[in-house]
């Protein structure tokens, strides 16, 4: 599922309780996270819930492309992870850094309906993904 499909589905749901259920359902569809990925290195700091994000960098003609797996101990956060993966996973590091997360996620109006702690956690996950993208660019081979 891509991010635009999620936005379209959100627009069809008028009630925020239905939208919360939808976000939780998105989280249920996440790939299971291997126990080995539940490491301190993959734990996202700044989240009230426990959140793990593991990044795979695939160099493609020297342009790193990132994909992600993740999990949380909270159902709604798993759904937020799924939304972020729909937005970011499979994109190049440059494309990830070009995304204005506040503007794009604003299309879902999540900020108005999440607790401040959940909003901060969502921002922490976005920052983690952006950090991984920056590191992938730094480690990418350069053309001479």
């Amino acid at each position: 599922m891509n991010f635009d499909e999620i936005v379209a589905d959100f627009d069809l749901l008028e009630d925020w309780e239905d939208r919360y259920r939808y976000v939780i359902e998105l989280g249920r569809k996440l790939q299971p996270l291997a126990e080995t990925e539940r490491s301190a290195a993959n734990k996202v700091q700044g989240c009230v819930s426990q959140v793990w994000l593991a990044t795979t960098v695939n160099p493609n003609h020297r342009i790193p492309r990132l994909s992600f797996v993740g999990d949380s101990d909270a159902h709604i956060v798993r759904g937020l992870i799924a939304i972020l993966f729909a937005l970011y996973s499979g994109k190049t590091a440059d494309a990830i850094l070009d995304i204005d997360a506040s503007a794009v996620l604003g299309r879902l109006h999540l900020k108005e309906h999440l607790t401040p702690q959940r909003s901060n956690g969502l921002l922490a996950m976005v920052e983690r993904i952006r950090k991984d993208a920056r590191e992938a660019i730094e480690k990418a081979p350069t053309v001479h």
Side-chain angles (χ1 to χ4, degrees):
M1 177 166 280
N2 71 42
F3 186 76
D4 289 330
E5 291 171 332
I6 292 172
V7 172
D9 288 347
F10 247 68
D11 288 344
L12 292 174
L13 302 170
E14 295 176 15
D15 185 293
W16 266 95
E17 286 194 29
D18 291 337
R19 290 178 178 178
Y20 281 127
R21 281 192 284 277
Y22 176 69
V23 171
I24 290 169
E25 189 58 37
L26 289 173
R28 288 190 177 123
K29 295 176 183 177
L30 280 178
Q31 296 176 31
L33 186 66
E35 280 303 315
T36 56
E37 300 290 356
R38 294 176 191 269
S39 65
N42 288 338
K43 193 160 184 187
V44 177
Q45 303 303 314
C47 295
V48 173
S49 302
Q50 293 198 65
V51 176
W52 298 271
L53 293 178
T55 304
T56 302
V57 179
N58 297 311
N60 183 9
H61 304 288
R62 296 190 175 102
I63 300 171
R65 187 172 297 277
L66 283 68
S67 58
F68 307 94
V69 292
D71 198 6
S72 175
D73 61 348
H75 294 296
I76 192 79
V77 177
R78 281 179 57 85
L80 295 175
I81 292 168
I83 289 170
L84 291 179
F85 290 177
L87 180 60
Y88 291 114
S89 202
K91 292 193 170 44
T92 65
D94 287 336
I96 288 170
L97 294 175
D98 286 342
I99 293 171
D100 179 349
S102 294
V104 176
L105 292 171
R107 293 171 58 195
L108 298 175
H109 305 285
L110 292 170
K111 193 172 186 176
E112 297 91 352
H113 297 280
L114 294 175
T115 65
Q117 295 87 352
R118 291 268 190 256
S119 290
N120 289 340
L122 182 61
L123 290 176
M125 289 186 280
V126 168
E127 280 310 308
R128 168 61 183 279
I129 290 169
R130 290 177 56 81
K131 176 179 137 318
D132 289 351
R134 284 189 299 272
E135 288 176 0
I137 289 170
E138 290 169 6
K139 293 177 182 174
T142 57
V143 179
H144 290 80

